[in-house]
């Protein structure tokens, strides 16, 4: 569940070597065996591989991998080393000797551009040139090789531990022309923080972590502010519904949503709130939306605004245990005024989404007045309007942390790995969801889920984490039948029951 910096991972490696104890060459063998197992599960013995090794221990993994695969019948392996043999690491030299002694794989050195391998187009290229220890962008022959590989690899590119040239954390000032563009990245034990950043996907591709049994004590004692949100964590958050419960046991959500032309947002958020377990759900909508809501969500109560077309006021807030505001409300003057009144009067946890966030962006001084029981759920564009323009996803994450700590609120920054920042500065990256969910209305569903959980008594932190995970899991369940293109926000709502059941 922990996500460490590259420096922290190196220290955990060193701790493992010292306290397990295990020799560094044997830890390298452990990594190579994990790699070989992954390859053997996916590729038959006729598959052609081009292994590219660098001078450090990342290259050492390639020497060992080539030998292990060869012993398992993979003989279509070409091996190329960047630089001179004399310059490779101590453990790499040991594995080079083993490769020479135990196989007939030819070793080719690349000391100039003319030495670069011809790429047939029918082989998988394995990048083990450089690990996560880089402190500056690749240059010279290494950069030329990376560019050549990116231009020439046809079948696919697999990176060992991290794509060569990519920094483990912040790549804002990196040279994007000097980074391997992998299809798959196989990271040892932990994902790198850079893997969760949207602007690094073209380099990382899809990633998996391979366990190499690093020392549990070191992992436990090493502190971090970054975590992955996974099934085990989320299962521990679920509140068991008691046998003698009634609708009052599970709270009352007020969903303030919709305006003329945007009533679908109100329908989706309200349906999601109902399907996520709240005892009562009231939708506050413009008057013209009455029939739409009554026919679309018969399980909800309806509270009508004085306006026919927009949100202009809401009263009697004392009856609610949680409030959601923003989906489809627009940003007209009277709505802005009503939003401020709602923020000032509400004494229960609140989720602010969509146009609610846009209104905050227009009135940034309101941020100081938000209750500590507030969750905001912007997508990157809304987040930048609320804060400032960012040059990278990593920079945006740092601002997200600052925003949560300064205002003592939970920020849900939506994306492929939605990040949830808490008031204590910790960040959780979600591990559920899929590209089929990238459709208008998905965010409205998430707002309904989180507000429903708040009404049931979950803390803001737990409601955000459980809500985001369940939202993605429902999308994943829907994907099995609908596929990426046809998956809709309504499909997510229809599969919320299965998603919750999966945790229970």
């Amino acid at each position: 569940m922990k996500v460490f910096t590259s420096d922290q991972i190196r220290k955990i490696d060193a701790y493992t070597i010292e306290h397990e104890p295990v020799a560094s060459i044997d830890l390298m063998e452990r990594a190579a065996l994990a790699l070989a197992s992954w390859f053997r599960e996916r590729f038959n013995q006729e598959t052609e591989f081009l292994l590219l090794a660098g001078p450090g221990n990342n290259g050492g993994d390639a020497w060992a991998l080539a030998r292990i695969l060869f012993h398992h019948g993979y003989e279509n392996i070409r091996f190329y080393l960047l630089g001179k043999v004399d310059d490779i690491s101590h453990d790499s030299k040991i594995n080079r000797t083993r490769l020479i002694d135990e196989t007939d794989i030819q070793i080719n050195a690349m000391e100039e551009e003319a030495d670069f391998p011809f790429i047939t187009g029918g082989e998988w290229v394995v990048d083990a040139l450089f690990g996560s220890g880089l402190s500056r962008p690749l240059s010279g022959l290494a950069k030329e090789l990376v560019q050549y590989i990116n231009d020439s690899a046809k079948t696919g590119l697999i990176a060992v531990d991290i794509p060569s040239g990519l920094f483990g954390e912040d790549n804002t000032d990196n040279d994007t022309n000097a980074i391997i563009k992998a299809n798959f990245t196989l990271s040892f034990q932990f994902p790198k923080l850079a893997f969760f950043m949207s602007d690094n996907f073209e380099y990382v591709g899809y990633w998996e972590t391979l366990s190499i049994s690093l020392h549990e004590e070191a992992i436990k004692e090493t502190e971090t502010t970054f975590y992955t949100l996974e099934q085990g964590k989320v299962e521990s958050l679920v509140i068991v519904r008691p046998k003698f419960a009634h609708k009052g046991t599970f709270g009352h959500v007020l969903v303030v949503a919709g305006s003329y032309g945007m009533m679908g947002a109100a329908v989706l958020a309200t349906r999601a709130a109902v399907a996520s377990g709240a005892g009562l759900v009231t939708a506050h909508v413009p008057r013209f939306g009455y029939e739409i809501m009554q026919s679309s969500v018969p399980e909800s109560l309806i509270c009508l605004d004085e306006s026919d077309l927009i949100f202009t006021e809401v009263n009697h807030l004392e009856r609610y245990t949680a409030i959601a505001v923003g989906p489809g409300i627009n940003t007209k003057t009277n709505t802005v005024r009503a939003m401020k009144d709602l923020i000032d009067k509400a004494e229960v946890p609140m989720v602010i989404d969509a146009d609610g966030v846009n209104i905050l962006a227009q009135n940034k001084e309101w941020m100081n007045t938000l209750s500590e029981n507030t969750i905001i759920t912007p997508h990157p564009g809304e987040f930048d309007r609320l804060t400032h323009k960012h040059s990278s996803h990593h920079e945006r994450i740092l601002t997200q942390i600052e925003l949560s700590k300064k205002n003592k609120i939970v920020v849900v920054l939506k994306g492929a790995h939605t990040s949830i920042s808490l008031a204590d500065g910790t960040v959780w990256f979600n591990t559920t969801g899929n590209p089929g969910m990238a459709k208008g209305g998905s965010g409205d569903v998430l707002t309904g889920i989180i507000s429903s959980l708040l009404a049931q008594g979950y803390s803001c932190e737990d409601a955000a984490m459980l809500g985001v995970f369940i939202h993605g899991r429902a999308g994943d369940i829907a994907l099995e039948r609908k596929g990426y293109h046809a998956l809709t926000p309504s499909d997510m709502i229809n599969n919320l029951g299965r998603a919750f059941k999966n945790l229970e």
Side-chain angles (χ1 to χ4, degrees), residues 77-144:
I77 297 174
R78 292 194 294 153
F79 195 99
Y80 278 75
L81 169 67
L82 177 62
K84 299 178 179 180
V85 170
D86 292 344
D87 296 334
I88 66 178
S89 69
H90 173 73
D91 288 347
S92 293
K93 288 178 180 178
I94 294 174
N95 270 312
R96 173 181 176 272
T97 299
R98 291 175 178 176
L99 184 66
I100 293 173
D101 291 345
E102 300 177 26
T103 77
D104 58 6
I105 295 175
Q106 182 178 348
I107 300 167
N108 304 278
M110 297 178 288
E111 299 183 31
E112 57 184 54
E113 189 175 351
D115 297 328
F116 291 172
F118 172 73
I119 298 178
T120 66
E123 59 197 346
W124 284 84
V125 179
V126 181
D127 161 37
L129 294 168
F130 298 96
S132 58
L134 292 177
S135 58
R136 61 180 184 272
L138 295 180
S139 60
L141 187 65
K143 178 178 178 178
E144 292 176 5

Side-chain angles (χ1 to χ4, degrees), residues 427-500:
V427 177
W428 294 78
F429 293 102
N430 189 39
T431 57
T432 60
N434 62 79
M437 299 171 66
K439 294 192 173 87
S442 291
D444 305 323
V445 173
L446 178 61
T447 296
I449 297 170
I450 295 176
S451 61
S452 180
L453 295 171
L454 287 174
Q456 295 170 61
Y458 287 86
S459 68
C460 284
E461 295 80 6
D462 290 354
M465 288 193 282
L466 178 57
V468 168
F469 188 91
I470 282 286
H471 179 248
R473 176 57 57 81
D476 290 340
I477 294 170
L479 179 69
E480 295 175 7
R481 292 188 58 218
K482 300 297 291 285
Y484 291 119
H485 295 83
L487 197 157
T488 68
S490 290
D491 294 323
M492 300 170 211
I493 296 172
N494 294 338
N495 284 284
L496 282 172
R498 292 181 183 179
F500 277 103

